[in-house]
PDB file of all heavy atoms in Angstrom:
ATOM      1  N   GLU B  20     -68.285 -33.721  -5.962  1.00  0.00           N
ATOM      2  CA  GLU B  20     -69.288 -33.144  -6.858  1.00  0.00           C
ATOM      3  C   GLU B  20     -68.535 -32.365  -7.922  1.00  0.00           C
ATOM      4  O   GLU B  20     -67.752 -31.438  -7.611  1.00  0.00           O
ATOM      5  CB  GLU B  20     -70.178 -32.206  -5.959  1.00  0.00           C
ATOM      6  CG  GLU B  20     -71.441 -31.860  -6.445  1.00  0.00           C
ATOM      7  CD  GLU B  20     -72.025 -30.686  -5.631  1.00  0.00           C
ATOM      8  OE1 GLU B  20     -71.821 -30.751  -4.371  1.00  0.00           O
ATOM      9  OE2 GLU B  20     -72.687 -29.896  -6.203  1.00  0.00           O
ATOM     10  N   ARG B  21     -68.766 -32.720  -9.120  1.00  0.00           N
ATOM     11  CA  ARG B  21     -68.103 -32.056 -10.288  1.00  0.00           C
ATOM     12  C   ARG B  21     -68.821 -30.764 -10.552  1.00  0.00           C
ATOM     13  O   ARG B  21     -69.986 -30.740 -10.787  1.00  0.00           O
ATOM     14  CB  ARG B  21     -67.980 -32.952 -11.463  1.00  0.00           C
ATOM     15  CG  ARG B  21     -67.328 -32.358 -12.620  1.00  0.00           C
ATOM     16  CD  ARG B  21     -66.865 -33.467 -13.608  1.00  0.00           C
ATOM     17  NE  ARG B  21     -65.587 -34.106 -13.166  1.00  0.00           N
ATOM     18  CZ  ARG B  21     -64.494 -33.490 -13.435  1.00  0.00           C
ATOM     19  NH1 ARG B  21     -64.332 -32.270 -13.931  1.00  0.00           N
ATOM     20  NH2 ARG B  21     -63.366 -34.113 -12.981  1.00  0.00           N
ATOM     21  N   LYS B  22     -68.086 -29.594 -10.593  1.00  0.00           N
ATOM     22  CA  LYS B  22     -68.687 -28.357 -10.938  1.00  0.00           C
ATOM     23  C   LYS B  22     -67.748 -27.762 -12.021  1.00  0.00           C
ATOM     24  O   LYS B  22     -66.703 -27.090 -11.691  1.00  0.00           O
ATOM     25  CB  LYS B  22     -68.745 -27.372  -9.743  1.00  0.00           C
ATOM     26  CG  LYS B  22     -69.565 -27.780  -8.665  1.00  0.00           C
ATOM     27  CD  LYS B  22     -69.609 -26.760  -7.510  1.00  0.00           C
ATOM     28  CE  LYS B  22     -70.607 -27.131  -6.430  1.00  0.00           C
ATOM     29  NZ  LYS B  22     -70.554 -26.249  -5.284  1.00  0.00           N
ATOM     30  N   GLY B  23     -68.110 -27.926 -13.277  1.00  0.00           N
ATOM     31  CA  GLY B  23     -67.216 -27.504 -14.361  1.00  0.00           C
ATOM     32  C   GLY B  23     -65.933 -28.216 -14.261  1.00  0.00           C
ATOM     33  O   GLY B  23     -65.847 -29.493 -14.146  1.00  0.00           O
ATOM     34  N   ASN B  24     -64.875 -27.467 -14.221  1.00  0.00           N
ATOM     35  CA  ASN B  24     -63.483 -28.102 -14.108  1.00  0.00           C
ATOM     36  C   ASN B  24     -63.122 -28.277 -12.643  1.00  0.00           C
ATOM     37  O   ASN B  24     -62.062 -28.822 -12.367  1.00  0.00           O
ATOM     38  CB  ASN B  24     -62.500 -27.241 -14.818  1.00  0.00           C
ATOM     39  CG  ASN B  24     -62.596 -27.339 -16.285  1.00  0.00           C
ATOM     40  OD1 ASN B  24     -62.372 -28.367 -16.877  1.00  0.00           O
ATOM     41  ND2 ASN B  24     -62.975 -26.205 -16.892  1.00  0.00           N
ATOM     42  N   ALA B  25     -63.853 -27.796 -11.791  1.00  0.00           N
ATOM     43  CA  ALA B  25     -63.633 -27.925 -10.351  1.00  0.00           C
ATOM     44  C   ALA B  25     -64.303 -29.155  -9.733  1.00  0.00           C
ATOM     45  O   ALA B  25     -65.349 -29.637 -10.284  1.00  0.00           O
ATOM     46  CB  ALA B  25     -64.069 -26.735  -9.576  1.00  0.00           C
ATOM     47  N   VAL B  26     -63.695 -29.800  -8.723  1.00  0.00           N
ATOM     48  CA  VAL B  26     -64.410 -30.858  -8.091  1.00  0.00           C
ATOM     49  C   VAL B  26     -64.599 -30.378  -6.655  1.00  0.00           C
ATOM     50  O   VAL B  26     -63.577 -30.058  -5.950  1.00  0.00           O
ATOM     51  CB  VAL B  26     -63.702 -32.095  -8.096  1.00  0.00           C
ATOM     52  CG1 VAL B  26     -64.421 -33.281  -7.436  1.00  0.00           C
ATOM     53  CG2 VAL B  26     -63.332 -32.579  -9.539  1.00  0.00           C
ATOM     54  N   ALA B  27     -65.849 -30.292  -6.192  1.00  0.00           N
ATOM     55  CA  ALA B  27     -66.061 -29.762  -4.846  1.00  0.00           C
ATOM     56  C   ALA B  27     -66.330 -30.909  -3.859  1.00  0.00           C
ATOM     57  O   ALA B  27     -66.478 -32.117  -4.328  1.00  0.00           O
ATOM     58  CB  ALA B  27     -67.247 -28.821  -4.865  1.00  0.00           C
ATOM     59  N   ASN B  28     -66.286 -30.544  -2.616  1.00  0.00           N
ATOM     60  CA  ASN B  28     -66.524 -31.552  -1.573  1.00  0.00           C
ATOM     61  C   ASN B  28     -65.536 -32.680  -1.640  1.00  0.00           C
ATOM     62  O   ASN B  28     -65.857 -33.864  -1.590  1.00  0.00           O
ATOM     63  CB  ASN B  28     -67.981 -32.097  -1.618  1.00  0.00           C
ATOM     64  CG  ASN B  28     -68.344 -32.887  -0.397  1.00  0.00           C
ATOM     65  OD1 ASN B  28     -67.720 -32.586   0.685  1.00  0.00           O
ATOM     66  ND2 ASN B  28     -69.277 -33.754  -0.434  1.00  0.00           N
ATOM     67  N   VAL B  29     -64.224 -32.350  -1.745  1.00  0.00           N
ATOM     68  CA  VAL B  29     -63.237 -33.347  -1.720  1.00  0.00           C
ATOM     69  C   VAL B  29     -62.581 -33.343  -0.411  1.00  0.00           C
ATOM     70  O   VAL B  29     -62.831 -32.483   0.481  1.00  0.00           O
ATOM     71  CB  VAL B  29     -62.112 -33.049  -2.728  1.00  0.00           C
ATOM     72  CG1 VAL B  29     -62.747 -33.182  -4.154  1.00  0.00           C
ATOM     73  CG2 VAL B  29     -61.522 -31.669  -2.544  1.00  0.00           C
ATOM     74  N   GLU B  30     -61.712 -34.327  -0.115  1.00  0.00           N
ATOM     75  CA  GLU B  30     -61.038 -34.310   1.143  1.00  0.00           C
ATOM     76  C   GLU B  30     -59.980 -33.211   1.162  1.00  0.00           C
ATOM     77  O   GLU B  30     -59.374 -32.933   0.192  1.00  0.00           O
ATOM     78  CB  GLU B  30     -60.225 -35.686   1.271  1.00  0.00           C
ATOM     79  CG  GLU B  30     -60.266 -36.211   2.650  1.00  0.00           C
ATOM     80  CD  GLU B  30     -60.006 -37.726   2.554  1.00  0.00           C
ATOM     81  OE1 GLU B  30     -60.892 -38.503   2.353  1.00  0.00           O
ATOM     82  OE2 GLU B  30     -58.779 -38.028   2.733  1.00  0.00           O
ATOM     83  N   ARG B  31     -59.750 -32.590   2.267  1.00  0.00           N
ATOM     84  CA  ARG B  31     -58.836 -31.473   2.285  1.00  0.00           C
ATOM     85  C   ARG B  31     -57.417 -31.904   2.044  1.00  0.00           C
ATOM     86  O   ARG B  31     -56.960 -32.826   2.735  1.00  0.00           O
ATOM     87  CB  ARG B  31     -58.893 -30.709   3.692  1.00  0.00           C
ATOM     88  CG  ARG B  31     -58.043 -29.498   3.749  1.00  0.00           C
ATOM     89  CD  ARG B  31     -58.382 -28.747   5.087  1.00  0.00           C
ATOM     90  NE  ARG B  31     -57.927 -27.414   5.061  1.00  0.00           N
ATOM     91  CZ  ARG B  31     -56.701 -27.102   5.612  1.00  0.00           C
ATOM     92  NH1 ARG B  31     -55.934 -27.986   6.051  1.00  0.00           N
ATOM     93  NH2 ARG B  31     -56.394 -25.800   5.566  1.00  0.00           N
TER      94      ARG B  31
END
Side-chain angles (χ1 to χ4, degrees):
Chain B
E20 200 189 325
R21 180 161 277 282
K22 295 180 173 174
N24 288 294
V26 183
N28 193 24
V29 295
E30 218 159 279
R31 186 169 193 268

